[in-house]
């Protein structure tokens, strides 16, 4: 199969995203299910090896942010891509409707306290970006329900720009502290989302996934696309890139996401800790003790 140029999906601030022009699907990166599994397992093992080195090196951390419309496959992608990575080196957090405690803090508090520690990969299933996506599409959330002083919510255009600025500053701060932020927008088409919702209704073992609210949100599709486009264009940077991944083919999507993660792990300057010659000499003594035990 042909190789894939990951740069075609990357947004680092040097060009503007037009979601209307971004593909929801591309040519298949695999011939059949067998080749798909073989490729994915290879990428999974490479990610695991590099994460193990990251853990031993104990200098870097990586934050993977997944954003998408409902049914785009965030959960499945995280599960499939990371399933062979040592759980000790990975943390996963899903952010839903804010709790009462979370509403008593600033809008990024609940996510910043979950940032990954050195040597680990942190994964956010949704994130602080919800505050310029769903909240922007439904501004009553910020004006009526979030506990923000009224004078700060009078001019909503100003508020969104301030939030973009805060997010940019947070991600720059993270970068300056060795936390490498990589962000994914899983770009599903409206037709494919409809088909997946119908599959949830028509397949008994998937009924539990169906939520009435998901269908209602489809009515705001164009508003969400505009919000995603603006959020990505406002926050894309070399140190915190966005990748807009075609999501109509789940297998393709997972192969691309895995390759992006590998690309950024390989770019890190890390190695296993070196052992001194004196320490190596001591190993002989311990080896002899163990062999004679």
């Amino acid at each position: 199969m042909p190789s894939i140029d990951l740069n075609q999906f990357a947004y680092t601030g040097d060009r503007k995203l037009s979601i209307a022009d971004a593909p929801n699907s591309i040519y298949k990166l695999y011939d059949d299910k067998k080749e798909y599994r073989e490729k994915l397992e290879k990428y999974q093992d490479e990610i695991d090896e590099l994460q193990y080195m990251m853990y031993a090196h104990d200098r870097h951390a990586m934050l993977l942010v997944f954003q998408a419309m409902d049914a785009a496959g965030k959960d499945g992608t995280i599960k499939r891509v990371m399933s062979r990575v040592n759980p000790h080196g990975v943390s996963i957090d899903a952010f839903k409707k804010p709790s009462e405690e979370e509403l008593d803090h600033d809008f990024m508090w609940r996510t910043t306290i979950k940032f990954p520690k050195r040597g680990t990969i942190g994964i956010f299933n949704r994130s602080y970006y919800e505050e310029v996506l769903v909240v922007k599409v439904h501004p009553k959330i910020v004006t009526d329900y979030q506990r923000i002083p009224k004078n700060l919510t009078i001019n909503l255009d100003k508020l969104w720009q301030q939030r973009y600025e805060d997010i940019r500053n947070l991600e720059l701060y993270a970068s300056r502290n060795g936390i490498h932020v990589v962000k994914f927008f899983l770009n599903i088409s409206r037709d494919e989302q409809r088909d997946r919702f119908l599959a949830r209704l028509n397949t008994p073992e998937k009924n539990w996934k169906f939520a009435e609210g998901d269908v209602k949100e489809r009515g705001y599709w164009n508003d969400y696309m505009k919000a995603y486009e603006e959020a990505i264009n406002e926050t894309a940077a070399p140190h915190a890139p966005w990748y807009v991944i075609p999501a109509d083919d789940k297998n393709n999507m997972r192969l691309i996401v895995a390759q992006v993660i590998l690309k950024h792990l390989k770019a890190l300057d890390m190695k296993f800790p070196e052992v001194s010659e004196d320490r190596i000499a001591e190993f002989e003594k311990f080896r002899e003790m163990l062999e004679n035990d």
Side-chain angles (χ1 to χ4, degrees):
M1 297 301 294
S3 60
I4 188 85
D5 178 11
L6 298 176
N7 290 325
Q8 67 182 296
F9 310 116
Y11 291 84
T12 60
D14 61 339
R15 62 181 176 128
K16 292 294 185 180
L17 166 68
S18 168
I19 283 188
D21 297 329
N24 304 116
S25 62
I26 60 168
Y27 59 88
K28 282 187 180 295
L29 301 175
Y30 56 97
D31 285 326
D32 50 36
K33 289 185 178 180
K34 180 176 182 293
E35 185 183 20
Y36 160 70
R37 288 193 297 269
E38 289 174 349
K39 282 190 169 185
L40 186 59
E41 287 177 3
K42 176 179 177 293
Y43 297 148
Q44 290 169 330
D45 289 341
E46 289 183 49
I47 292 171
D48 181 49
E49 290 171 5
L50 288 167
Q51 194 288 313
Y52 180 59
M53 183 185 292
M54 175 193 280
Y55 185 82
H57 188 68
D58 200 26
R59 292 292 184 274
H60 300 280
M62 183 170 286
L63 175 64
L64 307 177
V65 175
F66 286 86
Q67 294 286 159
M69 296 294 285
D70 293 308
K74 297 185 302 299
D75 292 351
T77 299
I78 293 168
K79 177 182 178 181
R80 299 299 192 283
V81 172
M82 305 302 290
S83 63
R84 294 166 77 97
V85 182
N86 188 336
H88 193 65
V90 179
S91 62
I92 302 175
D93 291 283
F95 297 97
K96 300 183 184 297
K97 181 179 178 180
S99 67
E100 288 296 307
E101 180 183 16
E102 289 166 349
L103 287 171
D104 274 335
H105 291 271
D106 62 90
F107 80 89
M108 288 193 288
W109 176 81
R110 67 176 184 156
T111 49
T112 51
I113 62 173
K114 297 291 188 177
F115 266 46
K117 63 183 180 180
R118 300 191 192 283
T120 68
I121 297 174
I123 299 173
F124 284 179
N125 185 339
R126 302 191 188 276
S127 67
Y128 42 86
Y129 278 98
E130 294 296 286
E131 296 294 331
V132 290
L133 295 171
V134 64
V135 177
K136 190 174 183 182
V137 172
H138 300 287
K140 281 195 172 184
I141 294 174
V142 73
T143 59
D144 295 0
Y145 300 107
Q146 292 186 348
R147 294 158 192 173
I148 299 172
K150 292 296 183 182
N151 64 301
L152 299 179
T153 63
I154 294 173
N155 185 338
L156 287 178
D157 288 337
K158 181 179 179 181
L159 182 141
W160 307 132
Q161 290 302 319
Q162 289 173 338
R163 289 193 169 185
Y164 295 139
E165 180 182 5
D166 292 337
I167 289 171
R168 289 194 297 267
N169 288 337
L170 172 70
E171 292 176 346
L172 180 59
Y173 173 80
S175 174
R176 288 172 172 172
N177 283 273
I179 303 172
H180 305 270
V181 182
V182 182
K183 301 168 291 189
F184 297 95
F185 171 54
L186 308 183
N187 188 24
I188 190 175
S189 67
R190 197 166 190 268
D191 287 345
E192 178 64 20
Q193 188 200 52
R194 178 203 59 215
D195 292 345
R196 293 184 190 179
F197 282 160
L198 286 171
R200 291 178 180 182
L201 288 170
N202 297 332
T203 309
E205 58 268 27
K206 292 184 178 181
N207 286 170
W208 66 274
K209 288 186 174 183
F210 182 79
E212 181 181 349
D214 293 343
V215 176
K216 289 181 178 179
E217 289 302 287
R218 277 176 60 80
Y220 299 94
W221 184 273
N222 291 338
D223 295 328
Y224 273 109
M225 293 302 103
K226 182 179 178 181
Y228 270 108
E229 183 176 283
E230 185 167 356
I232 290 169
N233 286 329
E234 288 283 350
T235 60
H239 58 269
W242 276 100
Y243 287 85
V244 179
I245 310 296
D248 281 5
D249 182 328
K250 290 183 179 181
N251 293 344
N252 247 15
M253 173 177 64
R254 293 162 187 167
L255 291 174
I256 297 170
V257 167
Q259 289 178 78
V260 170
I261 295 171
L262 275 173
K263 170 188 172 181
H264 285 275
L265 285 172
K266 289 176 179 178
L268 300 182
D269 180 18
M270 57 185 184
K271 60 184 179 180
F272 287 107
E274 294 182 0
V275 180
S276 69
E277 291 184 5
D278 289 343
R279 185 62 174 162
I280 291 175
E282 289 182 341
F283 287 170
E284 292 301 321
K285 178 180 65 176
F286 294 125
R287 184 179 293 109
E288 183 180 348
M289 290 173 61
L290 289 167
E291 289 174 347
N292 294 327
D293 187 358

